[in-house]
Amino acid sequence: MPEPRGSSCRIVVRQAGPQDLAALSKLARETFRAAFGPSFNASDLALLLEETRSEAYFRKTLHADTVLVALDEGTIVGYVQLSNVTIQVESATDRDQQLSALYVDSAYQGKGIGKLLMDAALDHPRFREARNIYLDVWEDNAKARELYKRYGFEVIGTCDLVVDSRVVGHDLVMVRRATS
């Protein structure tokens, strides 16, 4: 990835399309590996990356989910994924949605890209019309948890992280409840 252009960079957020598959998968794999790679053995990490961050995964995902990408001069530097609720939450209904992923290239972290993506997600009709928005986040990811708390998300439980039918960790489940 290129170095960020500094405070003068102009970040554009738009919906991802088929033309973005390779770059989106590359960023997703790199950011996930950097953030969580040491937490997995090599085979679990490879399987998880293939199942949730490959071009094939995103090709399928773009038909069901909404993926918004942040671009710096045409290069994808972050993304957020909006989906139907897949986390096992008893209270979730078909009027609820899920923030399935929010990742920013490490060279762009701390520059407001996560906030820009979160604002775009919350402004998207899919989330604007949602009754509640759920997400799961690694309990040791303090920066992400703080971002979500600033946006009104609260912890309501935990869920298992499963790879190849084995529980390999746990995430916190958070919800942002409708205000009306």
Side-chain angles (χ1 to χ4, degrees), residues 32 40 43-45 47-49 51-53 86 88 136 158-171:
F32 188 88
F40 297 98
S43 62
D44 285 348
L45 180 61
L47 183 60
L48 196 54
L49 291 175
E51 289 178 349
T52 64
R53 304 221 165 26
T86 60
Q88 297 300 311
D136 61 338
T158 62
C159 65
D160 294 336
L161 176 58
V162 179
V163 177
D164 199 24
S165 302
R166 290 178 293 111
V167 174
V168 296
H170 304 282
D171 286 343

Side-chain angles (χ1 to χ4, degrees), residues 88-125:
Q88 297 300 311
V89 179
E90 239 177 73
S91 59
T93 72
D94 60 356
R95 295 183 59 207
D96 298 328
Q97 289 288 293
Q98 179 175 315
L99 190 154
S100 294
L102 193 161
Y103 288 94
V104 175
D105 182 283
S106 60
Y108 286 80
Q109 290 178 8
K111 299 184 181 309
I113 307 299
K115 181 183 181 317
L116 188 66
L117 285 165
M118 182 63 91
D119 290 343
L122 293 173
D123 194 44
H124 191 277

